[in-house]
Amino acid sequence: MDRFVWQVARSVTEAATLAGRTVAEAMLADPGQPAAPDCVVLKAGGIDLLDLMKEGLLRPSRVVNLREVPGLAAITEDSSGLRIGTLVTLEQLATHPALRQRYAALADAVASSASPQIRHVATLGGNLLQRPRCWYFRSVAHHCARKGGEHCFAFAGENQYHAVFGHEGCAIVHPSTAATALVAFDARVELVNAQGVPRSVPLGAFLVGPGIDVKRETDLGAGEVLTAVLLPPTAASTRSVFLKQAARSSSDWSIADVAVVLDRAPDGRCQRACIVLGAAAPVPWRAQQAEAALVGQMIDAAVARTAGQAAIAGAVPLSRNAYKLPILATLVRRAVLQAAGAPEPENGR
Ligand SMILES: Cc1cc2nc3c(=O)[nH]c(=O)nc-3n(C[C@H](O)[C@H](O)[C@H](O)COP(=O)(O)OP(=O)(O)OC[C@H]3O[C@@H](n4cnc5c(N)ncnc54)[C@H](O)[C@@H]3O)c2cc1C
Ligand code: SF4
């Protein structure tokens, strides 16, 4: 790792003023060159940032630590919903009583992420802004399209963990497990610039697919700090479920995951459904055909099966990842049944 200057920010505007580049911009510099003096990046928990630096993919001249900025590590609730400060750790989220009660899919998504050691350090803001895990992207030997090169190596290469939807020129899957659930709850992110001016955008719009720009995953501007994630209130009838499939049962990335948020009318029919697939596309992927298959229905095994199949309609698997489709369909079917409180059929189908 190259030498860098360590700086501690004491306020959001100080951090935003110091942040010369986003990490995505900084990584477009030639990895063979020493850091430019103006290459200043922000650090929260440091899990992803230090990985990139150790791997030789990112060479900042200065790293600005956000962790001493007051007021960014709280979870508060009022009539407009829940406000989660950017520095709240994944472990705090996974165990928070309001989340466990009213946003269970989010608490479960976060609890299933990484390892206990990582969850105690990693922050929600850093989790949403981490860079993709594509192994070509993480290799200094592969100057792929996301790093400013000409090619995506995944399409003709080892693509078993890559996207089955929305892979226009780049087939990453979005790395944040929390994002799957946050999009299902219609979360927004709050950002503040160097002048102290805040803006708030839906997380679904903040996360950028390769069809918009292949070189970044978010709409974060240089000189902006993500300050909070905002969750709207849930109705008394809201039920949510998150399910994940990974190769190993702990400390492993998702092969596929799903968050389902359902609201039911007093007669038990589904009033509103939000279904989001994770590890399936470069952004958390709304399964709108599956949602449509649920609205107005009494949910039973047949309806849930139809929703599962609808969730994978339009998928375009790559040469080695078609195995993800039945996994995604099954996760959706099971999550819908669980959220509706309906029993799994005895034959499991
Ligand atoms: C073995 C392993 C397994 C993992 N498994 C999972 C998993 O299953 N699911 C999952 O979601 N993740 C997983 N991760 C990733 C891990 O959760 C993330 O690296 C971590 O959440 C990043 O958070 P951080 O606070 O350390 O961010 P940092 O590394 O400090 O920052 C990440 C990025 O965000 C920027 N940044 C951070 N905070 C702000 C802010 N407030 N404003 C503007 N920019 C900011 C930084 O500049 C940097 O670009 C895994 C990691 C490892 C090593
Ligand atoms: S999937 Fe994206 S990050 Fe991976 S090699 Fe292709 S362009 Fe690069």
Side-chain angles (χ1 to χ4, degrees), residues 13-293:
T13 48
E14 185 188 3
T17 307
L18 288 168
R21 297 185 191 185
T22 64
V23 164
E25 288 166 351
M27 285 182 66
L28 291 175
D30 183 345
Q33 296 298 311
D38 63 341
C39 184
V40 184
V41 296
L42 298 173
K43 173 215 152 275
I47 304 279
D48 194 44
L49 194 80
L50 293 180
D51 260 1
L52 295 169
M53 291 167 67
K54 284 187 285 186
E55 286 157 357
L57 293 162
L58 173 67
R59 311 175 85 176
S61 52
R62 201 184 317 171
V63 172
V64 178
N65 187 18
L66 284 171
R67 291 209 91 147
E68 306 295 321
V69 176
L72 297 182
I75 303 178
T76 53
E77 191 169 20
D78 61 21
S79 58
S80 62
L82 212 62
R83 185 176 197 281
I84 306 169
T86 189
L87 294 181
V88 169
T89 65
L90 301 188
E91 188 61 24
Q92 281 175 276
L93 276 180
T95 53
H96 193 273
L99 252 83
R100 283 258 142 248
Q101 267 178 11
R102 292 192 291 287
Y103 304 90
L106 177 58
D108 286 343
V110 169
S112 80
S113 301
S115 62
Q117 293 89 337
I118 291 172
R119 289 197 296 274
H120 274 92
V121 178
T123 64
L124 180 61
N127 184 266
L128 293 174
L129 296 168
Q130 63 177 306
R131 300 233 60 199
R133 304 305 301 185
C134 168
W135 37 40
Y136 299 111
F137 179 79
R138 295 273 163 172
S139 145
V140 276
H142 293 86
H143 190 52
C144 73
R146 193 161 284 274
K147 290 184 287 189
E150 298 289 318
H151 304 291
C152 171
F153 295 92
F155 285 97
E158 296 292 329
N159 52 40
Q160 48 270 53
Y161 299 125
H162 286 74
V164 292
F165 292 101
H167 39 53
E168 301 164 71
C170 165
I172 59 158
V173 293
H174 197 273
S176 167
T177 312
T180 310
L182 286 168
V183 170
F185 281 114
D186 288 332
R188 299 178 73 86
V189 287
E190 181 191 86
L191 304 129
V192 173
N193 68 13
Q195 289 71 48
V197 180
R199 70 178 173 117
S200 144
V201 275
L203 177 61
F206 179 69
L207 301 177
V208 169
I212 295 173
D213 188 347
V214 74
K215 300 191 188 83
R216 61 193 169 110
E217 299 84 50
T218 71
D219 189 33
L220 181 77
E224 264 191 326
V225 175
L226 194 159
T227 46
V229 174
L230 313 169
L231 281 167
T234 53
S237 68
T238 304
R239 297 287 176 274
S240 68
V241 170
F242 172 85
L243 294 178
K244 162 175 170 173
Q245 182 67 50
R248 292 176 304 182
S249 58
S250 73
S251 311
D252 205 0
W253 296 88
S254 298
I255 284 172
D257 58 54
V258 61
V260 170
V261 180
L262 294 185
D263 282 323
R264 284 192 297 161
D267 69 358
R269 284 181 195 278
C270 175
Q271 234 173 0
R272 193 187 75 97
C274 192
I275 302 179
V276 180
L277 309 180
V283 292
W285 193 257
R286 270 296 279 276
Q288 287 173 333
Q289 289 189 43
E291 295 168 2

